[in-house]
Amino acid sequence: MQQDEVAARVRQVIDAAGVSAREFARRIVIDPSKLSRSLNGTRRFTAAELARIADIGGVDVGRLIGTTAGPVGDAAGSPGGGAASTPSTVRSPSQPRPPSPSPEGGRPLQIVRETVRLIAERGFHAVRVADIAAACHTSTAAIHYHFPGRDELLEAAVRWCMDEDTRRRADATAGTRHAGDELRLLIELQTPRTEQQRRQWCVWLDLWAEAARSTTVGLLHVDYYRQWRGTVADVIRRGVEQGVFRPVDADGAALALTALIDGLASQVLATEPEPPGGGVPGTGAQAMHDALIAHVDACLSAPSAG
């Protein structure tokens, strides 16, 4: 019964946020299927998940789990409304709730964003929880309050990177009807030309290594690449229908193209960023971009499409 009541209170928080359950899952950085199972009563929320829900929803954890009287959204325990009354089953005295008010987007997202930035700069195994706490201007206890262990923090970082990458692609290609133009946009997004794109790829390379050792991250990796290849295959399929691309096996072509992108990007990242006038011929981001476009023209583009 208590589990059902907690789920009902979490539903209230999601409704008050005015977003879909999937978007709320993105904000608290968990798998949407886990949130769905918890809301349906087939899975229990973890203490850390409840902490993140409370932080993002601006509610008191005690009221969220029913140990403190009052409605879930009462401001007495929300950010800016006083200290939270959180029971020991959710946090211990050595793990205080992070200071209020929370940063923009909530403390959990700040922690994940800073983790990703530090991974890009130093590599995952060189990043300590103390480093993340310093970057967030908070304590290590506050980090552990939301993400008890490094494994959970890594999983959240991977999920955030995947969601951001998917969202960037969707925003960039929104409204594009010509499949050839859309495929070239996707290639442009995956070319590590800017500092931000190089950071993003540095994170991916580190996560690939972790995926080879971690079942959890590995499964996320497999799921993400299934979606990414599916996106490329759908564009190629539309291009065939539009007469932009020659008749090909869309899934096989997508596999080849995405593998080529990964391989070329890893080589580009092994070199210094290109100076304004260009770098060593054949090793930079522009060379990667040109090679990918040449591959599309040679292997996919219909003769009449030029």
Side-chain angles (χ1 to χ4, degrees), residues 53-64:
I53 291 168
D55 186 282
I56 296 298
V59 301
D60 176 65
V61 178
R63 289 174 182 158
L64 189 63

Side-chain angles (χ1 to χ4, degrees), residues 163-294:
D163 287 345
E164 287 298 296
D165 194 48
T166 301
R167 187 163 60 171
R168 272 193 297 268
R169 290 201 304 265
D171 290 345
T173 58
T176 305
R177 296 290 178 263
H178 189 279
D181 291 342
E182 184 170 351
L183 189 59
R184 283 165 173 76
L185 276 173
L186 292 175
I187 288 173
E188 185 66 35
L189 287 173
Q190 296 300 316
T191 304
R193 198 187 303 275
T194 67
E195 183 180 351
Q196 187 275 334
Q197 286 172 318
R198 287 182 70 92
R199 281 200 306 266
Q200 178 184 349
W201 269 105
C202 284
V203 173
W204 282 124
L205 291 179
D206 226 44
L207 297 180
W208 287 348
E210 289 303 312
R213 303 182 182 94
S214 166
T215 301
T216 299
V217 176
L219 290 174
L220 286 173
H221 185 270
V222 169
D223 185 57
Y224 170 79
Y225 263 86
R226 183 185 298 115
Q227 294 179 36
W228 165 226
R229 286 193 296 267
T231 296
V232 175
D234 287 343
V235 174
I236 293 173
R237 217 170 270 117
R238 268 192 293 112
V240 172
E241 294 172 356
Q242 293 173 0
V244 174
F245 300 139
R246 66 190 66 186
V248 294
D249 172 11
D251 293 323
L255 177 61
L257 180 57
T258 54
L260 185 59
I261 288 172
D262 291 344
L264 289 174
S266 64
Q267 294 181 47
V268 172
L269 291 169
T271 65
E272 291 293 326
E274 290 180 355
V280 178
T283 63
Q286 187 59 48
M288 169 183 169
H289 181 270
D290 293 345
L292 291 170
I293 296 301

Side-chain angles (χ1 to χ4, degrees), residues 130-190:
D131 299 325
I132 300 168
C136 295
H137 305 288
T138 189
S139 66
T140 56
I143 304 298
H144 288 303
Y145 176 78
H146 293 292
F147 302 98
R150 283 173 61 89
D151 288 347
E152 187 174 3
L153 187 51
L154 174 61
E155 180 182 347
V158 173
R159 186 170 298 286
W160 185 83
C161 286
M162 292 175 177
D163 287 345
E164 287 298 296
D165 194 48
T166 301
R167 187 163 60 171
R168 272 193 297 268
R169 290 201 304 265
D171 290 345
T173 58
T176 305
R177 296 290 178 263
H178 189 279
D181 291 342
E182 184 170 351
L183 189 59
R184 283 165 173 76
L185 276 173
L186 292 175
I187 288 173
E188 185 66 35
L189 287 173
Q190 296 300 316

